[in-house]
Amino acid sequence: MIIGLLNQKGGVGKTTLSVNLAASLAHTGARVLLLDVDPQGSALDWAAAREGKPLFPVVGLPRASVHKEIDQIGKDYDYIIIDGPPRVTDLARSAIMASDLILIPVQPSPYDIWAADEVVKLIEEAGIYKENLKSAFVVNRKIANTAIGRDVKEALSSYSVPVFTSSITQRVIFAEAAAQGKSVHEIDPQSSAALEIDAVKDELMGFIK
């Protein structure tokens, strides 16, 4: 199963969600590969900050041939998480064509909701060639107890893409974990952050069945 995380708008917490989803899957015993196709290499930076044995391998592949190479690269893994580029490019198109499911992280902001239009159009274009391609929004970096945090799912309903009921709240533990090259599960497996990541992972598993 290949899961691409894409949004053409930067700063939505795409890498944070990618590494922590990969960690949540790895904790189930699954063989997981994180593919960093973002030229900025944020997931690679996360891996480089880690001391000790990695939870899963992180491979950089920032080129527009991802969809052609992924079968060979990912043949030994149960799940491949693709941390996609922050702009609509040939690289983004390749990442979409390589994926079975596209997860679109969106912050609860009008700008993010408007900006989602471009990646939705890309996914719709790819659907002509990949009939079984699935996609969903996940609200990320939500500010707790704010009106816009509650209203964002309704705002996203204007798109044909479904919105996950589970969401991720912005929390300091994500930054603390990233600085150490760790997942939030390793910092505190019972933290609200870890439980939210697991909830997204569980919804993801149900979505792709």
Side-chain angles (χ1 to χ4, degrees):
M1 175 58 60
I2 304 169
I3 302 157
L5 281 89
L6 285 129
N7 191 324
Q8 68 95 28
K9 187 178 183 300
V12 296
K14 180 172 50 60
T15 298
T16 297
L17 189 54
S18 295
V19 299
N20 283 287
L21 267 180
S24 182
L25 288 165
H27 281 303
T28 68
R31 296 166 298 172
V32 181
L33 171 67
L34 178 56
L35 207 56
D36 188 347
V37 304
D38 186 343
Q40 294 177 351
S42 298
L44 287 170
D45 290 341
W46 172 84
R50 185 183 182 86
E51 294 182 3
K53 185 180 178 181
L55 284 175
F56 46 81
V58 181
V59 174
L61 193 67
R63 51 182 183 258
S65 54
V66 178
H67 62 295
K68 296 176 181 177
E69 300 181 58
I70 199 157
D71 285 346
Q72 181 64 30
I73 292 170
K75 62 181 179 179
D76 295 324
Y77 297 94
D78 301 310
Y79 297 99
I80 303 170
I81 304 292
I82 300 177
D83 184 14
R87 287 172 295 281
V88 171
T89 59
D90 288 342
L91 187 51
R93 289 182 173 88
S94 182
I96 290 171
M97 290 302 295
S99 301
D100 300 308
L101 166 69
I102 303 298
L103 203 55
I104 311 168
V106 180
Q107 289 186 119
S109 139
Y111 302 106
D112 285 63
I113 293 162
W114 299 330
D117 185 61
E118 288 193 57
V119 72
V120 169
K121 286 178 179 175
L122 271 189
I123 293 167
E124 289 173 348
E125 288 173 13
I128 296 170
Y129 306 99
K130 293 191 71 169
E131 291 183 4
N132 296 323
L133 179 63
K134 293 185 176 184
S135 59
F137 287 113
V138 59
V139 179
N140 196 31
R141 303 182 72 176
K142 184 174 69 173
I143 306 297
N145 303 316
T146 59
I148 195 165
R150 294 189 295 270
D151 296 344
V152 63
K153 291 177 183 177
E154 183 178 343
L156 288 169
S157 65
S158 60
Y159 293 105
S160 58
V161 176
V163 185
F164 275 13
T165 56
S166 50
S167 59
I168 307 296
T169 304
Q170 184 162 305
R171 301 181 192 278
V172 173
I173 190 174
F174 285 111
E176 293 174 341
Q180 301 174 54
K182 292 183 177 180
S183 70
V184 292
H185 295 78
E186 294 173 283
I187 302 295
D188 183 355
Q190 296 304 314
S191 65
S192 296
L195 296 176
E196 286 180 349
I197 290 289
D198 284 342
V200 170
K201 180 257 298 176
D202 290 343
E203 189 165 358
L204 185 66
M205 294 300 96
F207 190 73
I208 60 181
K209 284 181 180 177

